[in-house]
Structures are given as structure tokens and as C-alpha cells.
Amino acid sequence: MTDTTPGPGSVALITGGTGGFGRALAATLRGRGVTAVLADLDSDRARATAADLGCPFVALDVTDRAANRAVVEQVEGEHGRLDAVFLNAGIAGSTSDQLLDMDSFLRVVDVDLFGVVYGAEAAIPALQRAGGGAIVVTASLAGLSPMATDPGYSVAKGGVVAFVRSMAPRLAGAGITITAICPGFADTAIIDPIRAQFEQAGFPVLTAQEVADAMLAAWASGEPGAAYVVQPGVGAVPYRFKGVPSAKTAAGETAVVPEALRPPSMG
Ligand SMILES: NC(=O)c1ccc[n+]([C@@H]2O[C@H](COP(=O)([O-])OP(=O)(O)OC[C@H]3O[C@@H](n4cnc5c(N)ncnc54)[C@H](O)[C@@H]3O)[C@@H](O)[C@H]2O)c1
């Protein structure tokens, strides 16, 4: 039985680790005795933030596939194991009034979707070597309810929710739990351009700590493939996907999906 309990001796990697959610999670993990390695774009600010939190820092651009693998190797080399990875780095898309800002679209999909896929690819063998573990992806409410103001972000976050749900059964078979966190608007730097509008409208935003608590809970007790909505006044609740209509046979009975197309855990 895999023990994924976060505690002393366990090692976690957080991408975007010196941003708003990353910092709150790092402090929470440190409080539990977990070694939290913070990966982020290299800057004096990022290095100083990690040092203030008492966490090791590694420079990483998540859009660099090979660099994701190198960082995981470095973490295993320096800390002996990897128990959980929080694929949390992200950017917002364009606020321009173009109908479709293609440069912004491609950039946000590269960071917010491919950055997650590369991170998972890199972490899976290390988590297996640790005897199992957790991958927690920071998606967004925009992945469940697309934002008309930001198509690239909506596609990227919808994509990571689909990635998590698609990967969950095969990873569960390998002792790895993958989950998504889907926060509403939260008080971090990413909402700087629109913060005043929330304040003027009296619209509640989450604290970074509320999201960090949901991220920790997803590691400790997340259900494979779950997408946890986090909203002010609601807490973290698993989103209930509606499903799609099944095919019917000519006789009007529900058609059974061919065995080869069923996910591993469904047998
Ligand atoms: N704050 C919100 O309202 C909100 C809501 C839902 C989801 N999210 C998601 O939460 C995650 C964390 O965001 P946050 O709110 O803490 O914002 P933030 O801007 O404070 O943190 C984001 C971090 O990601 C890092 N980053 C950006 N591009 C990177 C790259 N290419 N490689 C490595 N690191 C990179 C940044 O340097 C920063 O430290 C993001 O994926 C974001 O989309 C945020």
C-alpha cells in the first residue's frame, strides 16, 4: 500500500513555486516538515522568495520539456526521492480586444497546458521509484466554465482537466494519484490587472491559503481524476461531470465500449 501522507521525510516539487499559490503551499508544507522544492523562472525575486521560505530553489521554464526532466533528476539527486509534484506554474492570456490574439493563445497554451504535460512526463518515473505519489495540477474554474475574455487560458485549463481525467486510471494503476484544482479568482499577482474591478463590484476572491489547503488535501486524500472546485464561501468540492449519452445498439440497448478502449482500471 502506497503511503502518500505528506509529512517529515517526504519531498514535493512545486512549479510556479514562488508565486501566490506556490508560496502559500510551500509554507504549509514546510509547517508539516515536508521538503518543498520551488521551481520557477529564474530571477532574484524568485530566489529571494524561496530563501525567505526556507525552501530549495530550482530554475525552470516549464515550457522546456528537457528542463522538466532535469529538474526532477536534480530533486531526486539532492533529496533522495519525489513524493508529490504540484504542476502549478501558469500565466493568464491576453486582455487585448482582438477577436483572436493568436500569439497570446499559443503562449498561454504552451505554459499552462504543455507545461503541465511535460511536468507530468518528467515526474511519473520518479514518483514510481518512490513507491507511488501524487500529481496535483492547478487548473482553474476557467477549465470547467470557459472565460469569454480569455480563450487561450480557457483552452489550456480545459485541456489540463481533460489530461488529468484521461491519465487518472492508468496512473492509479501505477500507485500515482492525479487530480486537478479549479479555483475561482484568488488574490495573487495574476489578477493584478483586474483586481480593482473585483473590489469595486464587491466580488469575493479567494485567499491563496484557501487554495493551498485544497492542494494539500488533494495530495493527502484526492480521488484519482477529480477536479476540485474552490470558491469563496464554498471550500473545495469535487466537480460532478455530467457524462455524455451512451451509444445504443440496433436493439435499443446501451452499447458496451470495446475492451481495448476501456481505461486500465476498468479492466
Ligand atoms: N489567482 C487566481 O485567480 C487563479 C485562479 C485559478 C487558477 N489559477 C492558476 O494558479 C496557478 C498559480 O497562479 P497564481 O495565482 O499563484 O499566480 P502568480 O502569478 O502569483 O504565480 C504564477 C507563477 O508561475 C510562474 N511561471 C509563469 N510562467 C512560468 C514558466 N514558463 N515556467 C515556470 N514558472 C512560470 C511565475 O513566475 C509565478 O511565480 C496558475 O496556473 C494560475 O493559472 C490562478
Side-chain angles (χ1 to χ4, degrees), residues 110-216:
D110 205 18
V111 176
D112 292 14
L113 176 54
F114 283 101
V116 165
V117 177
Y118 299 150
E121 180 199 26
I124 288 166
L127 296 171
Q128 282 187 287
R129 282 190 286 275
I135 300 175
V136 181
V137 176
T138 312
S140 167
L141 213 54
L144 302 171
S145 176
M147 293 167 73
T149 50
D150 197 338
Y153 190 75
S154 302
V155 165
K157 296 300 187 178
V160 295
V161 170
F163 177 70
V164 163
R165 297 177 71 207
S166 172
M167 291 295 290
R170 70 185 65 220
L171 288 180
I176 298 169
T177 300
I178 186 167
T179 52
I181 304 294
C182 298
F185 292 109
D187 190 9
T188 70
I190 214 170
I191 69 159
D192 281 349
I194 49 176
R195 176 176 286 102
Q197 290 165 50
F198 290 119
E199 283 168 5
Q200 275 159 22
F203 188 90
V205 296
L206 293 159
T207 63
Q209 189 60 50
E210 287 174 285
V211 178
D213 290 344
M215 295 162 93
L216 174 65

XYZ file of all heavy atoms in Angstrom, residues 110-216:
747
model
N 1.107 26.948 -24.319
C 2.446 26.393 -24.108
C 2.766 26.281 -22.609
O 3.226 25.242 -22.128
C 3.465 27.311 -24.802
C 4.745 26.580 -25.168
O 4.737 25.338 -25.212
O 5.752 27.269 -25.414
N 2.496 27.361 -21.875
C 2.834 27.369 -20.439
C 1.822 26.542 -19.639
O 2.195 25.638 -18.868
C 2.866 28.811 -19.885
C 3.126 28.801 -18.367
C 3.914 29.657 -20.602
N 0.529 26.820 -19.826
C -0.491 26.300 -18.905
C -0.934 24.875 -19.257
O -1.430 24.165 -18.390
C -1.727 27.222 -18.893
C -1.444 28.577 -18.261
O -0.269 28.927 -18.076
O -2.415 29.307 -17.956
N -0.770 24.469 -20.516
C -1.136 23.093 -20.884
C 0.109 22.230 -21.099
O 0.319 21.249 -20.383
C -2.029 23.089 -22.134
C -2.400 21.706 -22.689
C -3.029 20.814 -21.635
C -3.349 21.853 -23.884
N 0.978 22.628 -22.040
C 2.152 21.781 -22.294
C 3.104 21.776 -21.102
O 3.745 20.753 -20.830
C 2.843 22.173 -23.598
C 2.084 21.638 -24.788
C 1.261 22.457 -25.522
C 2.161 20.296 -25.112
C 0.523 21.952 -26.586
C 1.429 19.781 -26.170
C 0.606 20.612 -26.911
N 3.168 22.873 -20.358
C 3.999 22.894 -19.154
C 3.572 21.816 -18.170
O 4.403 21.191 -17.501
N 2.270 21.575 -18.097
C 1.735 20.531 -17.201
C 2.053 19.139 -17.748
O 2.474 18.239 -17.009
C 0.209 20.732 -17.023
C -0.442 19.495 -16.412
C -0.061 21.965 -16.177
N 1.873 18.964 -19.044
C 2.114 17.643 -19.637
C 3.600 17.270 -19.501
O 3.945 16.150 -19.108
C 1.653 17.619 -21.108
C 1.972 16.265 -21.742
C 0.159 17.919 -21.205
N 4.482 18.226 -19.772
C 5.925 17.952 -19.631
C 6.276 17.657 -18.172
O 7.109 16.787 -17.880
C 6.766 19.149 -20.097
C 6.600 19.535 -21.538
C 6.762 20.861 -21.942
C 6.300 18.595 -22.528
C 6.627 21.245 -23.268
C 6.156 18.971 -23.855
C 6.321 20.298 -24.214
O 6.174 20.676 -25.527
N 5.646 18.387 -17.272
C 5.916 18.170 -15.843
C 5.491 16.776 -15.407
O 6.193 16.098 -14.649
N 4.333 16.348 -15.895
C 3.855 15.006 -15.550
C 4.785 13.948 -16.148
O 5.172 12.992 -15.469
C 2.425 14.818 -16.063
N 5.159 14.151 -17.403
C 6.054 13.184 -18.059
C 7.340 13.013 -17.251
O 7.827 11.898 -17.046
C 6.402 13.667 -19.474
C 7.317 12.711 -20.207
C 8.052 13.336 -21.387
O 8.266 14.563 -21.405
O 8.445 12.577 -22.290
N 7.864 14.133 -16.784
C 9.127 14.099 -16.045
C 8.963 13.438 -14.675
O 9.846 12.701 -14.218
C 9.659 15.522 -15.874
N 7.822 13.714 -14.018
C 7.665 13.274 -12.622
C 7.264 11.809 -12.485
O 7.612 11.165 -11.477
C 6.616 14.149 -11.929
N 6.540 11.279 -13.464
C 5.960 9.932 -13.301
C 7.010 8.873 -12.925
O 6.816 8.135 -11.942
C 5.140 9.539 -14.557
C 3.840 10.349 -14.591
C 4.845 8.036 -14.583
C 3.109 10.319 -15.932
N 8.144 8.763 -13.631
C 9.107 7.713 -13.241
C 9.652 7.909 -11.826
O 9.866 6.930 -11.101
C 10.232 7.855 -14.274
C 9.681 8.691 -15.383
C 8.589 9.519 -14.814
N 9.839 9.163 -11.425
C 10.373 9.423 -10.080
C 9.345 9.047 -9.013
O 9.694 8.484 -7.967
C 10.760 10.897 -9.949
N 8.075 9.368 -9.274
C 7.024 9.011 -8.312
C 6.923 7.491 -8.195
O 6.729 6.955 -7.098
C 5.684 9.613 -8.746
C 5.624 11.143 -8.757
C 4.327 11.626 -9.400
C 5.750 11.719 -7.343
N 7.088 6.812 -9.322
C 7.074 5.340 -9.275
C 8.238 4.811 -8.456
O 8.091 3.888 -7.660
C 7.123 4.773 -10.689
C 5.781 4.837 -11.396
C 5.827 4.107 -12.719
O 6.435 4.592 -13.666
N 5.210 2.951 -12.771
N 9.419 5.428 -8.645
C 10.589 4.987 -7.871
C 10.370 5.183 -6.370
O 10.919 4.454 -5.552
C 11.849 5.725 -8.331
C 12.437 5.193 -9.624
C 13.807 5.782 -9.911
N 13.767 7.159 -10.362
C 13.572 7.544 -11.631
N 13.389 6.645 -12.581
N 13.562 8.818 -11.959
N 9.542 6.203 -6.022
C 9.260 6.457 -4.592
C 8.194 5.502 -4.055
O 7.810 5.596 -2.893
C 8.820 7.910 -4.409
N 7.668 4.637 -4.925
C 6.638 3.698 -4.490
C 5.231 4.243 -4.671
O 4.269 3.709 -4.105
N 5.107 5.307 -5.434
C 3.796 5.936 -5.672
C 3.814 7.361 -5.166
O 4.767 7.780 -4.506
N 2.762 8.118 -5.472
C 2.733 9.510 -5.042
C 1.594 10.256 -5.689
O 0.612 9.641 -6.118
N 1.744 11.578 -5.751
C 0.631 12.421 -6.211
C 1.096 13.458 -7.224
O 2.192 14.010 -7.100
C -0.005 13.129 -5.016
N 0.233 13.694 -8.215
C 0.404 14.829 -9.129
C -0.837 15.705 -8.953
O -1.959 15.230 -9.148
C 0.505 14.370 -10.603
C 1.688 13.428 -10.809
C 0.600 15.588 -11.527
C 1.780 12.828 -12.219
N -0.618 16.943 -8.534
C -1.725 17.880 -8.340
C -1.535 19.026 -9.319
O -0.523 19.727 -9.279
C -1.767 18.406 -6.883
C -2.937 19.365 -6.709
C -1.850 17.250 -5.886
N -2.498 19.198 -10.207
C -2.400 20.205 -11.267
C -3.273 21.401 -10.893
O -4.440 21.221 -10.553
C -2.892 19.612 -12.608
C -2.882 20.674 -13.690
C -2.050 18.403 -13.015
N -2.704 22.607 -10.945
C -3.541 23.783 -10.741
C -4.183 24.139 -12.076
O -3.534 24.698 -12.962
C -2.735 24.989 -10.218
O -1.923 24.562 -9.118
C -3.672 26.086 -9.739
N -5.446 23.765 -12.222
C -6.212 24.168 -13.406
C -6.881 25.485 -13.052
O -6.224 26.414 -12.566
C -7.203 23.073 -13.790
N -8.160 25.587 -13.237
C -8.896 26.821 -12.934
C -10.369 26.539 -13.151
O -10.734 25.617 -13.903
C -8.456 27.942 -13.882
O -9.346 29.043 -13.811
N -11.199 27.367 -12.554
C -12.628 27.311 -12.870
C -12.832 27.523 -14.374
O -13.779 26.992 -14.960
C -13.332 28.426 -12.089
C -14.749 28.167 -11.606
C -14.845 26.899 -10.788
C -15.235 29.370 -10.808
N -11.901 28.276 -14.991
C -11.996 28.526 -16.442
C -11.853 27.240 -17.246
O -12.228 27.202 -18.417
C -10.921 29.528 -16.868
N -11.326 26.187 -16.631
C -11.229 24.899 -17.309
C -12.556 24.157 -17.318
O -12.720 23.181 -18.056
N -13.478 24.589 -16.481
C -14.809 23.965 -16.412
C -15.866 24.884 -17.011
O -16.892 24.430 -17.497
C -15.170 23.667 -14.947
C -14.199 22.756 -14.201
C -14.534 22.706 -12.711
C -14.230 21.352 -14.793
N -15.619 26.180 -16.924
C -16.565 27.188 -17.406
C -15.753 28.240 -18.161
O -15.206 29.168 -17.567
C -17.274 27.806 -16.191
O -18.123 28.842 -16.595
N -15.604 28.078 -19.491
C -14.670 28.920 -20.245
C -14.957 30.415 -20.092
O -16.115 30.826 -19.996
C -14.897 28.475 -21.698
C -15.535 27.143 -21.616
C -16.310 27.106 -20.337
N -13.860 31.217 -20.040
C -13.991 32.676 -19.898
C -14.061 33.314 -21.281
O -13.131 33.154 -22.075
C -12.762 33.248 -19.182
C -12.616 32.827 -17.739
S -10.958 33.252 -17.137
C -11.099 35.037 -17.007
N -15.105 34.062 -21.541
C -15.251 34.720 -22.850
C -14.134 35.733 -23.087
O -13.831 36.078 -24.230
C -16.609 35.391 -22.946
N -13.522 36.209 -21.999
C -12.459 37.209 -22.141
C -11.101 36.591 -22.460
O -10.169 37.320 -22.779
C -12.309 37.994 -20.823
O -12.218 37.041 -19.753
C -13.489 38.918 -20.596
N -10.946 35.271 -22.351
C -9.599 34.699 -22.465
C -9.648 33.280 -23.044
O -9.584 32.287 -22.306
C -8.934 34.699 -21.071
C -7.422 34.521 -21.154
O -6.929 33.993 -22.172
O -6.738 34.905 -20.183
N -9.777 33.174 -24.393
C -9.914 31.836 -24.992
C -8.685 30.952 -24.794
O -8.831 29.744 -24.566
C -10.157 32.123 -26.480
C -9.861 33.558 -26.691
C -9.958 34.254 -25.371
N -7.490 31.513 -24.872
C -6.285 30.687 -24.717
C -6.221 30.061 -23.330
O -5.949 28.863 -23.178
N -6.489 30.862 -22.319
C -6.477 30.366 -20.928
C -7.549 29.292 -20.754
O -7.311 28.252 -20.134
C -6.729 31.553 -19.992
C -6.524 31.277 -18.523
C -5.246 31.162 -17.990
C -7.605 31.178 -17.647
C -5.049 30.941 -16.627
C -7.422 30.958 -16.289
C -6.142 30.847 -15.781
O -5.953 30.626 -14.426
N -8.728 29.531 -21.323
C -9.832 28.572 -21.185
C -9.479 27.238 -21.826
O -9.748 26.167 -21.270
C -11.103 29.141 -21.825
O -11.438 30.376 -21.231
N -8.881 27.291 -23.016
C -8.482 26.062 -23.711
C -7.397 25.336 -22.922
O -7.444 24.111 -22.733
C -8.012 26.385 -25.141
C -7.253 25.213 -25.757
C -9.206 26.754 -26.005
N -6.409 26.082 -22.439
C -5.309 25.460 -21.694
C -5.829 24.796 -20.420
O -5.463 23.652 -20.099
C -4.254 26.505 -21.350
N -6.686 25.487 -19.697
C -7.167 24.943 -18.416
C -8.180 23.816 -18.648
O -8.186 22.822 -17.903
C -7.766 26.063 -17.556
C -6.741 27.134 -17.135
C -5.599 26.551 -16.316
C -4.684 27.625 -15.747
N -3.605 27.071 -14.912
N -9.022 23.945 -19.688
C -9.902 22.828 -20.043
C -9.075 21.626 -20.455
O -9.396 20.476 -20.133
N -7.971 21.887 -21.157
C -7.077 20.818 -21.590
C -6.448 20.101 -20.415
O -6.339 18.870 -20.422
N -6.031 20.828 -19.396
C -5.395 20.120 -18.272
C -6.417 19.316 -17.469
O -6.100 18.248 -16.957
C -4.537 21.024 -17.339
C -3.351 21.586 -18.067
C -5.326 22.098 -16.672
N -7.652 19.802 -17.404
C -8.682 18.998 -16.723
C -8.887 17.687 -17.490
O -8.938 16.599 -16.903
C -10.010 19.787 -16.584
C -11.127 18.869 -16.098
C -9.841 20.969 -15.626
N -8.956 17.770 -18.820
C -9.114 16.557 -19.636
C -7.892 15.645 -19.496
O -8.024 14.415 -19.416
C -9.334 16.944 -21.101
N -6.709 16.239 -19.442
C -5.469 15.460 -19.277
C -5.506 14.682 -17.958
O -5.218 13.473 -17.913
C -4.269 16.409 -19.326
C -2.937 15.737 -19.104
C -2.401 14.880 -20.053
C -2.208 15.980 -17.948
C -1.166 14.267 -19.840
C -0.979 15.375 -17.733
C -0.457 14.511 -18.683
N -5.893 15.370 -16.894
C -5.956 14.729 -15.573
C -6.951 13.568 -15.590
O -6.669 12.470 -15.108
C -6.342 15.781 -14.498
C -6.822 15.121 -13.208
C -5.164 16.713 -14.224
N -8.115 13.790 -16.198
C -9.152 12.748 -16.200
C -8.739 11.569 -17.087
O -9.037 10.421 -16.793
C -10.476 13.342 -16.667
C -10.974 14.427 -15.709
C -12.250 15.050 -16.218
N -13.367 14.133 -16.111
C -14.443 14.174 -16.899
N -14.533 15.067 -17.865
N -15.417 13.307 -16.723
N -8.040 11.887 -18.173
C -7.605 10.824 -19.074
C -6.479 9.995 -18.458
O -6.445 8.776 -18.601
C -7.127 11.455 -20.392
O -6.524 10.492 -21.212
N -5.566 10.643 -17.764
C -4.404 9.953 -17.200
C -4.721 9.198 -15.905
O -3.991 8.278 -15.527
C -3.287 10.966 -16.888
C -2.621 11.607 -18.086
S -1.706 10.411 -19.082
C -0.324 10.021 -17.997
N -5.792 9.625 -15.209
C -6.015 9.128 -13.841
C -6.076 7.604 -13.730
O -5.415 7.027 -12.857
C -7.270 9.762 -13.247
N -6.826 6.899 -14.577
C -6.922 5.442 -14.373
C -5.582 4.731 -14.543
O -5.224 3.885 -13.724
C -7.920 5.007 -15.462
C -8.700 6.240 -15.781
C -7.727 7.373 -15.643
N -4.831 5.098 -15.606
C -3.560 4.375 -15.800
C -2.563 4.725 -14.696
O -1.804 3.869 -14.250
C -2.990 4.635 -17.194
C -2.468 6.025 -17.418
C -2.031 6.246 -18.848
N -3.142 6.169 -19.768
C -3.105 5.583 -20.974
N -1.995 5.050 -21.410
N -4.158 5.563 -21.738
N -2.574 5.972 -14.221
C -1.650 6.341 -13.142
C -2.052 5.685 -11.825
O -1.186 5.285 -11.031
C -1.584 7.866 -12.990
C -0.851 8.614 -14.103
C -0.850 10.107 -13.831
C 0.583 8.116 -14.267
N -3.355 5.590 -11.598
C -3.808 4.936 -10.349
C -3.280 3.507 -10.305
O -2.855 3.023 -9.252
C -5.332 4.959 -10.258
N -3.253 2.861 -11.477
C -2.720 1.501 -11.547
C -1.241 1.447 -11.198
O -0.725 0.405 -10.793
N -0.559 2.581 -11.334
C 0.876 2.650 -11.017
C 1.110 3.278 -9.637
O 2.241 3.649 -9.307
C 1.605 3.451 -12.095
N 0.037 3.445 -8.848
C 0.188 3.985 -7.493
C 0.304 5.502 -7.435
O 0.713 6.069 -6.422
N -0.065 6.171 -8.535
C 0.036 7.637 -8.581
C -1.372 8.226 -8.717
O -2.136 7.831 -9.599
C 0.912 8.087 -9.774
C 2.331 7.541 -9.622
C 0.916 9.607 -9.900
C 3.196 7.700 -10.871
N -1.695 9.171 -7.831
C -2.993 9.838 -7.897
C -2.822 11.197 -8.567
O -2.034 12.021 -8.099
C -3.547 10.063 -6.467
O -3.678 8.788 -5.842
C -4.906 10.736 -6.505
N -3.558 11.416 -9.657
C -3.503 12.724 -10.322
C -4.857 13.403 -10.153
O -5.913 12.780 -10.337
C -3.088 12.602 -11.815
C -2.906 13.994 -12.442
C -4.069 11.771 -12.630
C -2.207 13.979 -13.813
N -4.817 14.681 -9.750
C -6.038 15.454 -9.510
C -5.843 16.864 -10.055
O -4.713 17.290 -10.322
C -6.329 15.567 -7.996
O -5.147 16.051 -7.355
C -6.735 14.243 -7.381
N -6.951 17.580 -10.201
C -6.897 18.987 -10.638
C -7.571 19.856 -9.583
O -8.544 19.446 -8.958
C -7.612 19.142 -11.976
N -7.010 21.064 -9.422
C -7.617 22.067 -8.544
C -8.163 23.159 -9.456
O -7.448 23.660 -10.337
C -6.555 22.675 -7.587
C -5.852 21.580 -6.773
C -7.182 23.701 -6.647
C -6.721 20.851 -5.810
N -9.415 23.531 -9.254
C -10.064 24.523 -10.132
C -10.542 25.713 -9.300
O -11.742 25.825 -8.986
C -11.238 23.879 -10.862
S -10.761 22.507 -11.936
N -9.606 26.613 -8.956
C -10.022 27.757 -8.137
C -10.740 28.806 -8.971
O -10.443 28.997 -10.151
C -8.688 28.342 -7.623
C -7.610 27.404 -8.070
C -8.162 26.635 -9.229
N -11.668 29.505 -8.307
C -12.190 30.758 -8.851
C -11.115 31.824 -8.678
O -9.952 31.516 -8.394
N -11.481 33.096 -8.831
C -10.487 34.169 -8.722
C -9.911 34.209 -7.302
O -10.640 34.108 -6.327
C -11.117 35.512 -9.073
C -11.497 35.606 -10.531
C -12.828 35.593 -10.918
C -10.511 35.685 -11.509
C -13.179 35.671 -12.265
C -10.849 35.756 -12.859
C -12.189 35.749 -13.232
N -8.585 34.343 -7.238
C -7.897 34.355 -5.950
C -6.908 35.516 -5.911
O -6.418 35.976 -6.952
C -7.165 33.031 -5.738
N -6.607 35.948 -4.706
C -5.810 37.155 -4.509
C -4.318 36.876 -4.670
O -3.601 36.685 -3.696
C -6.098 37.707 -3.105
C -5.486 39.078 -2.924
O -5.009 39.655 -3.915
O -5.490 39.570 -1.777
N -3.863 36.818 -5.932
C -2.437 36.674 -6.244
C -2.105 37.665 -7.363
O -3.002 38.322 -7.899
C -2.090 35.253 -6.743
O -2.658 35.096 -8.044
C -2.606 34.165 -5.822
N -0.830 37.690 -7.743
C -0.386 38.666 -8.748
C -1.089 38.488 -10.086
O -1.220 39.448 -10.859
C 1.126 38.534 -8.941
N -1.563 37.274 -10.361
C -2.153 37.006 -11.678
C -3.421 37.841 -11.903
O -3.792 38.122 -13.042
C -2.415 35.476 -11.851
C -2.217 35.040 -13.294
C -3.752 35.079 -11.345
C -2.213 33.516 -13.488
N -4.096 38.263 -10.819
C -5.302 39.089 -11.006
C -5.021 40.584 -10.855
O -5.961 41.386 -10.836
C -6.486 38.654 -10.094
C -6.227 38.955 -8.612
C -6.860 37.197 -10.305
C -7.511 39.031 -7.782
N -3.731 40.964 -10.795
C -3.410 42.395 -10.664
C -4.148 43.272 -11.685
O -4.683 44.321 -11.322
C -1.888 42.625 -10.771
C -1.176 42.290 -9.462
O -1.878 42.082 -8.443
O 0.071 42.211 -9.462
N -4.189 42.854 -12.980
C -4.830 43.736 -13.958
C -6.335 43.926 -13.741
O -6.915 44.876 -14.277
C -4.577 43.029 -15.306
C -3.499 42.033 -15.046
C -3.602 41.666 -13.606
N -6.974 43.032 -12.987
C -8.439 43.110 -12.838
C -8.891 43.220 -11.377
O -10.085 43.246 -11.098
C -9.128 41.875 -13.495
C -8.468 40.558 -13.054
C -9.132 41.984 -15.016
C -9.150 39.296 -13.571
N -7.898 43.328 -10.439
C -8.250 43.334 -9.015
C -9.205 44.473 -8.660
O -10.186 44.274 -7.929
C -6.989 43.420 -8.148
C -7.327 43.528 -6.658
C -6.133 43.531 -5.742
N -5.525 42.223 -5.614
C -4.413 41.830 -6.236
N -3.769 42.666 -7.003
N -3.927 40.627 -6.073
N -8.971 45.667 -9.220
C -9.793 46.828 -8.870
C -11.257 46.579 -9.225
O -12.168 47.036 -8.517
C -9.274 48.064 -9.593
N -11.468 45.863 -10.311
C -12.856 45.600 -10.718
C -13.578 44.705 -9.713
O -14.758 44.894 -9.434
C -12.877 44.955 -12.106
C -12.458 45.938 -13.199
C -12.116 45.230 -14.499
O -12.877 44.417 -14.971
N -10.963 45.535 -15.053
N -12.866 43.730 -9.155
C -13.483 42.879 -8.126
C -13.825 43.716 -6.892
O -14.894 43.577 -6.308
C -12.548 41.734 -7.723
C -12.373 40.709 -8.799
C -11.129 40.449 -9.333
C -13.459 39.995 -9.279
C -10.966 39.506 -10.333
C -13.304 39.049 -10.274
C -12.047 38.807 -10.809
N -12.863 44.587 -6.524
C -13.078 45.406 -5.325
C -14.291 46.305 -5.524
O -15.156 46.403 -4.657
C -11.816 46.216 -5.011
C -10.752 45.333 -4.359
C -9.360 45.975 -4.286
O -9.217 47.161 -4.663
O -8.431 45.267 -3.879
N -14.350 46.967 -6.705
C -15.469 47.890 -6.967
C -16.806 47.146 -6.940
O -17.811 47.667 -6.463
C -15.293 48.555 -8.333
C -14.394 49.784 -8.278
C -13.818 50.129 -9.647
O -14.380 49.742 -10.675
N -12.710 50.853 -9.651
N -16.809 45.922 -7.461
C -18.066 45.159 -7.553
C -18.394 44.426 -6.249
O -19.455 43.822 -6.130
C -17.969 44.155 -8.696
N -17.490 44.510 -5.267
C -17.707 43.773 -4.015
C -17.703 42.271 -4.234
O -18.342 41.514 -3.503
N -16.965 41.822 -5.277
C -16.938 40.385 -5.618
C -15.880 39.688 -4.754
O -14.732 40.108 -4.719
C -16.612 40.222 -7.101
C -16.756 38.800 -7.603
C -17.967 38.353 -8.115
C -15.687 37.913 -7.544
C -18.110 37.046 -8.565
C -15.817 36.599 -7.987
C -17.038 36.173 -8.500
N -16.241 38.611 -4.051
C -15.263 37.964 -3.160
C -14.219 37.176 -3.938
O -14.559 36.480 -4.900
C -16.124 37.026 -2.313
C -17.304 36.705 -3.172
C -17.545 37.907 -4.059
N -12.969 37.298 -3.527
C -11.906 36.483 -4.123
C -11.318 35.599 -3.024
O -11.367 35.929 -1.843
C -10.800 37.333 -4.799
C -11.346 38.111 -5.974
C -10.108 38.233 -3.807
N -10.769 34.456 -3.441
C -10.162 33.508 -2.508
C -8.847 34.058 -1.971
O -8.173 34.839 -2.653
C -9.855 32.203 -3.240
C -11.039 31.377 -3.733
C -10.584 30.435 -4.854
C -11.641 30.591 -2.579
N -8.432 33.591 -0.797
C -7.054 33.815 -0.362
C -6.200 32.691 -0.960
O -6.708 31.599 -1.256
C -6.923 33.762 1.175
O -7.281 32.437 1.612
C -7.830 34.788 1.843
N -4.905 32.975 -1.104
C -4.000 31.933 -1.599
C -3.992 30.742 -0.639
O -3.848 29.595 -1.058
C -2.595 32.506 -1.760
N -4.162 31.020 0.654
C -4.132 29.920 1.645
C -5.289 28.944 1.426
O -5.116 27.731 1.569
C -4.186 30.493 3.071
C -3.942 29.440 4.147
C -2.559 28.775 4.015
O -1.556 29.462 3.910
N -2.520 27.440 3.991
N -6.460 29.473 1.072
C -7.604 28.572 0.829
C -7.280 27.594 -0.306
O -7.648 26.422 -0.274
C -8.859 29.377 0.469
C -9.486 30.108 1.637
C -10.644 31.000 1.212
O -10.395 32.085 0.628
O -11.798 30.611 1.441
N -6.586 28.099 -1.335
C -6.233 27.244 -2.466
C -5.122 26.269 -2.056
O -5.166 25.077 -2.391
C -5.827 28.102 -3.679
C -5.416 27.216 -4.851
C -6.969 29.030 -4.079
N -4.147 26.762 -1.297
C -3.054 25.883 -0.834
C -3.610 24.739 0.011
O -3.147 23.587 -0.097
C -2.034 26.693 -0.039
N -4.612 25.019 0.831
C -5.213 23.961 1.662
C -5.853 22.892 0.770
O -5.757 21.690 1.063
C -6.261 24.557 2.619
C -5.629 25.407 3.721
O -4.406 25.294 3.933
O -6.362 26.189 4.352
N -6.485 23.330 -0.319
C -7.103 22.362 -1.248
C -6.026 21.545 -1.963
O -6.201 20.348 -2.219
C -7.977 23.109 -2.256
N -4.898 22.193 -2.274
C -3.797 21.475 -2.950
C -3.223 20.395 -2.024
O -2.962 19.262 -2.442
C -2.702 22.469 -3.365
C -3.153 23.471 -4.427
S -2.071 24.928 -4.526
C -0.925 24.439 -5.791
N -3.046 20.760 -0.767
C -2.526 19.788 0.201
C -3.514 18.619 0.370
O -3.108 17.453 0.371
C -2.277 20.471 1.553
C -1.863 19.533 2.683
C -0.515 18.887 2.409
C -1.829 20.281 4.022
